[in-house]
Amino acid sequence: MAIQNDREFGIPQSTEEKVSELIQRMNLDEKIGQMSQLQAGCGHIPDHLADDIRHGRVGSVLNEVNVDVVNELQRISIEETRLGIPLLIGRDVIHGFKTVFPIPLGLAASWDPQLIKQTCRISAQEAASCGVNWTFAPMIDISRDPRWGRVAESLGEDPYLCATLGAAMVDGFQGDKLSEKGAIAACAKHFAAYGAAEAGKDYNTVNVPENELRNVYLRPFKKLADSGVASFMTAFCDLNGVPATGNSWLLDDVLRKEWDYRGLLVSDWDSVIELSVHGFTHNDKESACEAVNAGVDMEMASRSYKHHLQQLVDEGRVDLPQIDRMVARILTLKFDLGLFDNPYTSAADYPALVNVDHLEVAQQSAAKSCVLLKNDNQVLPLNADQMSSIAVIGPLADDDYEQLGTWVFDGDPHHSVTCKAAIERLVGDKLDVRYCKGLQTTRSESCEQFSEALELAAQCDATVVVVGEESFMSGEAHSRASIDLPGQQVALIDALAKEGKPLIVVVMAGRPLTIENILDKADSILYAWHPGTMGGPAIADLLFGFQAPSGKLPVTFPRAVGQIPIYYAHKNTGRPVSDVNCLSMADIPERPEQTSLGMASFHLDVNYRPLFPFGYGLSYTCFEYSGIRMARQQVALGGQVEIVADIKNTGHCAGEEVVQLYIRDLVGSVTRPVKELKGFQRVLLQPGEQKTITFTLHTDELAFYGRDMQLNTEPGSFQAWVGGDSDARLMIDFDIYDDE
Ligand code: BGC
């Protein structure tokens, strides 16, 4: 056995030595084999795969989660190959494995890095118990276009939030050490700017100037590279004319040379051979050449490396030392994961799948992800002691599958608890809980079940209607041009509103939807994203006040698709809009002179403000911010900026608030956003309680890439706001000066 052979050679000291010794023993075929990742057979081992592994032509397999099959794959790789190198087993463990947590965009709405880390820890343990040792997560693509289906899989629009939560995810997946039980390698994807696809169409062209790329889209990737994420994945898109998978500036100059990133870089599915579809290369051989020379260590799914690398090396177009460096990164990860010591998995070594502790975290994370957008007359929380019946209506009120959301390869809907089931469980002994769908699916155009729904609503004290979009309407290749509530859902809400009973709308969706048209119909709106396995109990707890909502939007909600991209950290422009200079269609006289119109940056036919700003979310109590102050408002470059403010719970129940710090750099060598998130803290406040919150920033945290593409903090005047969303008004000025 190869492992024993290694022992006969004597155990080298460091991983680096072990890797280089192994590479010296490998022939070119075996090296190219390590650079190939193949699709598994899902529950069995196809003969061709076994054969490829046996001949050393495979470094990694993806999408096999049957532990016996995985162990057999590892056995073939160890015992039946010349060198006995174990396999990386990859899987998209995106927001849970068997226990499904809210979609990443929902998790981001919790603004709770510790909790998110815990969800990833559990996901890693569950996946590892089935032999998976590598997940393709987190996705840290900045997403400012809710038409894009993969916004569901993202952590939202903001580089700071995305970087902070993405790093927490990596910590959760990878643990303290990759070799510890239950740790799996994480993957920062998709490098880079995939979320900026034109028109929000998946896979579409991306054009982002270098300055914007560095200041916005690359920031989370840099943070994860620095915090030790084990791998990166390239993006499908064409970035400024050069597809990301063959983009040597991005992959080599920036990632390897500038950032000194040492981890493994994998392509996306077939993205190497798609270089020719982009029109960037003539054929698969040229694609392999471009991808390898740009630095893509491992090819996912397609086989252009296998078929062409040998010849490319013979022709002198790819260097052997380059191949060795790439293989070294792959082998290093295998050593780091401890696979050379033991590549096999025994499920008995791990906690049971979907156990009560996992479900508890699933419920907590779902509860903290829900964002209360509206709550007129404090209709919520409902008081079960003062009601006798409740109508639970809607196509998503009792659908165990759809509440799981996109990317749930392994999630089992049988574990899901729906809203209807949870409400029955929670208050069924006190209330008559009456249910009907109202619409067959979210897309149904037939209103034939409306009369039943209206009758129920008329008979009950309050109505909860659960609407939204099914899982498949977001996710990869599932973009939408209209992001309204689909089908006849708005008509259903209109009709229910006319019943005059308290109407609570719960929205389950993979993106912000344009819901201005239901705003004045609903008394309360709770945005639950796709909340996962325990979505029902989390929502029921919130509706009946066993917990207060505390989620905050990780993305801006547009009023209309025409406003997209709309995000809080926009630039000021030369003609910024305000309440004073904006117009609405109604203000415009019959035959106006062009120049008499407000000459500002806005649309005539829609209120310029978003429907809900980034960071927004209500609670059952109110928070009052005051007393913003700084011990020093003049701070030397290299020093600490300390901003302090008070927050008080002025309502009658306890609540958690996410206190947010925003900064504006007033003048820069390139224009700066009107506000940028620079910190946040979750605080729990009892009724009447006041706390003092302190944010401390090093002046380096105010750095940005200037006209020279260097990262610097430029001295000058700044503003800081502390508040409960990106519309925060409590502001203080400060200056940074250079005392050199
Ligand atoms: C997606 C990746 C994913 C890969 C493997 C691709 O289609 O873009 O995010 O990790 O498939 O499933």
Side-chain angles (χ1 to χ4, degrees):
M1 273 212 319
I3 287 183
Q4 281 162 0
N5 286 346
D6 270 352
R7 294 200 180 114
E8 283 159 24
F9 277 84
I11 299 171
Q13 292 302 300
S14 65
T15 301
E16 216 177 317
E17 284 168 326
K18 290 183 206 170
V19 166
S20 96
E21 191 230 76
L22 188 50
I23 287 179
Q24 280 167 32
R25 293 163 54 204
M26 295 171 81
N27 59 39
L28 182 55
D29 254 3
E30 287 162 336
K31 292 177 186 173
I32 296 170
Q34 286 302 305
M35 298 166 73
S36 303
Q37 181 181 57
L38 297 188
Q39 162 80 331
C42 301
H44 72 290
I45 305 179
D47 290 345
H48 65 85
L49 179 63
D51 202 48
D52 274 334
I53 297 175
R54 236 171 246 129
H55 287 90
R57 294 189 206 118
V58 185
S60 171
V61 162
L62 79 164
N63 295 338
E64 182 53 72
V65 292
N66 176 316
V67 68
D68 298 329
V69 177
V70 172
N71 281 335
E72 177 58 9
L73 289 167
Q74 294 288 23
R75 191 200 61 75
I76 298 172
S77 206
I78 299 295
E79 292 184 7
E80 299 187 25
T81 63
R82 197 175 75 86
L83 295 168
I85 301 173
L87 295 165
L88 291 170
I89 308 289
R91 182 66 158 176
D92 290 277
V93 183
I94 305 297
H95 53 111
F97 187 70
K98 286 278 180 229
T99 306
V100 179
F101 302 100
I103 53 168
L105 191 61
L107 286 174
S110 76
W111 294 55
D112 191 334
Q114 278 311 316
L115 184 59
I116 291 175
K117 177 176 163 181
Q118 242 181 313
T119 67
C120 293
R121 190 86 212 109
I122 291 169
S123 309
Q125 281 173 347
E126 290 197 350
S129 76
C130 295
V132 172
N133 50 40
W134 184 15
T135 177
F136 306 121
M139 184 182 114
I140 48 169
D141 295 308
I142 295 298
S143 308
R144 294 178 165 180
D145 192 330
R147 292 171 299 183
W148 189 46
R150 298 195 84 167
V151 69
E153 206 188 326
S154 82
L155 299 169
E157 74 181 41
D158 183 66
Y160 178 85
L161 185 65
C162 182
T164 308
L165 303 183
M169 287 181 141
V170 173
D171 272 1
F173 286 129
Q174 298 194 167
D176 294 333
K177 222 169 158 221
L178 281 173
S179 58
E180 82 192 11
K181 198 158 282 301
I184 61 177
C187 183
K189 72 185 189 186
H190 305 85
F191 198 56
Y194 180 40
E198 283 181 1
K201 272 193 303 187
D202 209 1
Y203 315 128
N204 207 9
T205 305
V206 170
N207 282 303
V208 179
E210 183 179 342
N211 191 268
E212 180 82 350
L213 196 63
R214 287 179 178 277
N215 280 321
V216 178
Y217 292 88
L218 296 189
R219 283 219 170 186
F221 287 98
K222 173 73 165 77
K223 164 91 174 179
L224 265 55
D226 291 345
S227 43
V229 66
S231 64
F232 264 53
M233 183 189 292
T234 63
F236 281 127
C237 57
D238 154 9
L239 174 62
N240 299 334
V242 181
T245 302
N247 196 318
S248 56
W249 172 78
L250 183 70
L251 306 183
D252 196 39
D253 295 352
V254 176
L255 181 64
R256 295 294 183 201
K257 299 199 175 101
E258 198 180 309
W259 297 0
D260 194 24
Y261 179 66
R262 311 270 175 98
L264 191 169
L265 175 61
V266 66
S267 77
D268 203 343
W269 187 282
D270 280 356
S271 72
V272 174
I273 57 169
E274 286 173 10
L275 291 177
S276 66
V277 187
H278 278 284
F280 183 67
T281 61
H282 287 288
N283 51 40
D284 290 355
K285 179 178 170 192
E286 298 305 312
S287 300
C289 186
E290 291 293 339
V292 165
N293 284 329
V296 179
D297 301 325
M298 184 179 277
E299 179 180 16
M300 183 190 285
S302 54
R303 308 220 62 188
S304 68
Y305 284 11
K306 170 180 184 279
H307 294 135
H308 305 290
L309 268 188
Q310 173 89 52
Q311 201 187 349
L312 287 164
V313 171
D314 294 344
E315 290 169 5
R317 296 176 62 200
V318 169
D319 274 1
L320 261 183
Q322 162 79 343
I323 300 261
D324 285 354
R325 281 194 294 277
M326 297 172 115
V327 174
R329 290 193 280 261
I330 295 163
L331 296 176
T332 301
L333 180 56
K334 294 183 176 186
F335 275 106
D336 288 348
L337 283 162
L339 295 176
F340 283 91
D341 297 325
N342 178 15
Y344 301 112
T345 304
S346 163
D349 293 345
Y350 295 86
L353 297 168
V354 206
N355 65 48
V356 284
D357 297 336
H358 296 185
L359 291 173
E360 170 60 31
V361 176
Q363 182 168 339
Q364 263 183 46
S365 55
K368 287 202 175 176
S369 301
C370 288
V371 183
L372 183 64
L373 296 176
K374 177 180 181 188
N375 193 20
D376 274 6
N377 307 319
Q378 301 191 319
V379 159
L380 289 179
L382 297 167
N383 185 341
D385 295 326
Q386 290 172 7
M387 312 164 55
S388 60
S389 55
I390 184 164
V392 179
I393 293 172
L396 298 179
D398 193 28
D399 194 318
D400 54 8
Y401 175 76
E402 300 300 350
Q403 72 183 46
L404 297 180
T406 184
W407 282 113
V408 283
F409 283 159
D410 304 292
D412 179 349
H414 292 113
H415 296 297
S416 294
V417 186
T418 66
C419 284
K420 170 187 170 269
I423 292 173
E424 281 168 352
R425 247 186 236 177
L426 191 69
V427 293
D429 57 338
K430 294 184 181 166
L431 301 185
D432 187 12
V433 181
R434 315 270 309 270
Y435 164 74
C436 85
K437 259 190 154 180
L439 283 163
Q440 200 49 34
T441 71
T442 69
R443 288 160 290 133
S444 303
E445 293 296 343
S446 159
C447 304
E448 63 191 9
Q449 297 178 37
F450 275 26
S451 50
E452 189 194 348
L454 296 180
E455 210 170 297
L456 271 198
Q459 290 161 5
C460 293
D461 295 332
T463 301
V464 172
V465 57
V466 188
V467 294
E469 47 176 21
E470 276 96 16
S471 302
F472 90 97
M473 294 183 84
S474 58
E476 185 175 347
H478 291 77
S479 297
R480 294 182 60 195
S482 153
I483 54 170
D484 287 344
L485 278 167
Q488 290 300 318
Q489 295 182 103
V490 175
L492 176 62
I493 292 167
D494 279 354
L496 290 170
K498 291 198 182 107
E499 290 300 322
K501 301 287 177 65
L503 179 61
I504 296 118
V505 178
V506 175
V507 185
M508 290 187 183
R511 56 163 62 78
L513 295 172
T514 39
I515 50 170
E516 192 168 22
N517 51 3
I518 61 160
L519 216 53
D520 57 354
K521 311 282 169 23
D523 295 293
S524 301
I525 302 177
L526 187 68
Y527 215 84
W529 318 99
H530 285 130
T533 307
M534 293 299 277
I539 292 166
D541 269 7
L542 295 172
L543 295 178
F544 287 93
F546 290 88
Q547 206 172 328
S550 60
K552 297 278 188 175
L553 296 178
V555 272
T556 303
F557 270 47
R559 292 171 192 274
V561 161
Q563 291 179 300
I564 297 170
I566 180 168
Y567 49 93
Y568 83 93
H570 59 82
K571 303 290 184 68
N572 202 36
T573 80
R575 295 189 173 183
V577 67
S578 71
D579 288 344
V580 177
N581 63 7
C582 73
L583 280 176
S584 83
M585 287 292 209
D587 302 329
I588 304 173
E590 197 178 308
R591 199 178 297 283
E593 277 180 33
Q594 280 286 323
T595 50
S596 68
L597 303 179
M599 305 297 272
S601 178
F602 71 103
H603 298 106
L604 283 173
D605 49 358
V606 64
N607 183 320
Y608 74 90
R609 292 180 183 279
L611 189 59
F612 298 106
F614 174 84
Y616 176 82
L618 303 171
S619 175
Y620 291 152
T621 186
C622 293
F623 301 103
E624 198 178 272
Y625 288 86
S626 64
I628 193 164
R629 54 200 181 272
M630 297 176 75
R632 276 173 303 126
Q633 282 171 267
Q634 309 291 318
V635 182
L637 213 52
Q640 307 277 354
V641 177
E642 198 181 90
I643 296 148
V644 181
D646 300 319
I647 171 173
K648 185 171 182 185
N649 179 346
T650 55
H652 301 292
C653 66
E656 261 183 55
E657 168 76 327
V658 180
V659 180
Q660 301 158 41
L661 170 72
Y662 294 89
I663 296 280
R664 178 169 182 186
D665 186 345
L666 287 168
V667 179
S669 62
V670 293
T671 54
R672 305 298 305 129
V674 294
K675 266 183 187 162
E676 284 180 283
L677 182 73
K678 288 290 176 187
F680 60 89
Q681 295 178 31
R682 241 180 193 275
V683 286
L684 171 67
L685 291 166
Q686 298 304 323
E689 191 185 2
Q690 174 164 321
K691 279 188 181 161
T692 297
I693 306 295
T694 303
F695 289 100
T696 308
L697 301 177
H698 189 276
T699 58
D700 283 355
E701 290 170 71
L702 303 172
F704 62 93
Y705 289 88
R707 221 173 308 173
D708 54 2
M709 298 302 163
Q710 298 302 309
L711 183 67
N712 281 311
T713 303
E714 295 182 3
S717 301
F718 291 75
Q719 292 172 327
W721 294 260
V722 174
D725 60 48
S726 58
D727 262 356
R729 299 289 154 92
L730 188 67
M731 194 265 280
I732 189 163
D733 297 294
F734 64 96
D735 294 309
I736 305 282
Y737 64 92
D738 189 354
D739 60 357
E740 301 237 308

